Amino acid sequence: MIPRQVELSYQDSMVQSIESRFESDGVTILKDSDPRVQYIERILRPLIQSCVYFSPECEYYMSQMEILVVDDDEINAYTTMGSIIVVYTGLLNYFKD
C-alpha cells in the first residue's frame, strides 16, 4: 500500500501528464466554472463527507482531490493515484435522460 502523502506528492505531475495527453489528443478539460464540473462536484460532496465521517484521517486526502471533467463522448470515469478523478461528459450525457 502506498502512503497517502507519497501518493499526493505525485498529484501535480499526474495532473500535468493527464492534461497534456488530452491536449495532444485535442480533447478539452473543462474549467471549474463549467456547470458540468460543478454538477460532478455536487455529486461527490456527500461521498467525500461520508468517507471523512467513517475515516477521519481521509479529510486532508479528500480535500486535495483533483476532479477533471473531459469534454468527450466516451462513457467513462476513472481514478488515478494522487486522488485524481477523471469523468467524461459522455457519461453525464448517458445518464441525462
Side-chain angles (χ1 to χ4, degrees):
M1 180 180 221
I2 300 170
R4 289 192 172 128
Q5 286 304 112
V6 172
E7 190 175 335
L8 287 174
S9 70
Y10 289 101
Q11 186 182 53
D12 289 340
S13 60
M14 291 284 292
V15 169
Q16 289 173 353
S17 175
I18 292 168
E19 287 176 339
S20 65
R21 188 188 87 216
F22 285 125
E23 186 177 298
S24 70
D25 290 344
V27 178
T28 302
I29 295 176
L30 302 177
K31 304 285 185 205
D32 290 343
S33 59
D34 189 287
R36 293 167 290 182
V37 175
Q38 294 170 3
Y39 176 71
I40 293 297
E41 289 174 346
R42 280 194 310 275
I43 290 172
L44 291 175
R45 195 171 300 123
L47 296 172
I48 292 167
Q49 291 169 344
S50 295
C51 179
V52 172
Y53 176 80
F54 288 105
S55 186
E57 69 274 6
C58 288
E59 186 167 12
Y60 176 74
Y61 185 75
M62 292 303 204
S63 72
Q64 301 302 306
M65 185 176 353
E66 187 76 34
I67 302 167
L68 303 176
V69 180
V70 181
D71 194 12
D72 190 279
D73 291 335
E74 184 173 342
I75 300 170
N76 197 11
Y78 60 90
T79 64
T80 69
M81 187 172 95
S83 192
I84 302 166
I85 297 176
V86 180
V87 179
Y88 290 72
T89 55
L91 184 64
L92 298 176
N93 296 335
Y94 181 80
F95 288 108
K96 193 175 191 177
D97 299 327

